Amino acid sequence: QDPSVSCPASPVLVPLAPGTCSSNVYDYASLVSISDNCGIDSSRTSFTGPSRVSPVSFGTYTVTATAFDFASNSASCSFTLIVSNSASSVSCDTDGDGITDDVEGIVDTDDDSIPDFRDLDSDNDGIPDFRDLDSDNDGILDSVEKSVDTDADGIPNFLDLDSDNDAV
């Protein structure tokens, strides 16, 4: 019989450490429940995800727990861990583009698998974000759009390709 591995509901929110742009060391292994009728082989049980021994920066991570029992049966579960600066007074800029992580958020505007807060060219137009005067390429300068969110979808107008939500 496979081990029982139970992960917490996603997402698990982790605040940044006060005054920093990273979280404290976070032992997410304690959030996972593992059991088995013939015992868990802890030498083969593993966790993949962000570091459990050093601070983790702002972002979204997938954590996967895999457990083996002494009969070599295994089971896994996964959950999402979000390190957020919602409770921090520090404005982080992980990618150094001049737009703070809390404004860029964890979206991936150009679908290149690099979240905007880490992407040097989040709209993939060949212009680095710190030099891009129109981040969403909609013809309206970022200085005009500012960080207003007209359609209340959580994406500031200067990053939103459809800021009025009219599907055009």
Side-chain angles (χ1 to χ4, degrees):
Q1 174 177 333
D2 290 343
S4 172
V5 182
S6 178
C7 284
S10 288
V12 173
L13 302 177
V14 178
L16 292 176
T20 72
C21 290
S22 61
S23 75
N24 290 319
V25 175
Y26 191 74
D27 183 16
Y28 49 78
S30 64
L31 302 174
V32 178
S33 172
I34 300 173
S35 63
D36 188 73
N37 61 341
C38 66
I40 296 296
D41 183 353
S42 60
S43 69
R44 295 177 63 198
T45 297
S46 64
F47 290 88
T48 59
S51 173
R52 291 172 42 206
V53 295
S54 59
V56 178
S57 66
F58 176 86
T60 301
Y61 303 89
T62 299
V63 176
T64 301
T66 303
F68 288 85
D69 63 16
F70 290 109
S72 291
N73 298 312
S74 67
S76 298
C77 69
S78 296
F79 62 97
T80 302
L81 187 73
I82 298 177
V83 178
S84 166
N85 65 348
S86 60
S88 176
S89 61
V90 174
S91 293
C92 303
D93 183 14
T94 303
D95 60 4
D97 65 357
I99 305 169
T100 58
D101 296 346
D102 56 328
V103 171
E104 287 183 302
I106 56 175
V107 298
D108 180 16
T109 303
D110 59 3
D111 292 322
D112 63 355
S113 300
I114 303 170
D116 289 353
F117 76 93
R118 288 194 174 148
D119 198 340
L120 297 177
D121 182 15
S122 61
D123 59 1
N124 208 22
D125 65 354
I127 302 170
D129 289 344
F130 74 95
R131 292 191 176 183
D132 201 340
L133 300 177
D134 181 16
S135 297
D136 59 1
N137 294 323
D138 65 355
I140 304 170
L141 295 177
D142 294 345
S143 60
V144 173
E145 289 183 301
K146 304 191 179 182
S147 59
V148 174
D149 182 12
T150 304
D151 59 2
D153 63 355
I155 303 171
N157 288 355
F158 77 95
L159 294 174
D160 195 342
L161 298 179
D162 186 19
S163 59
D164 60 1
N165 211 20
D166 65 356
V168 179

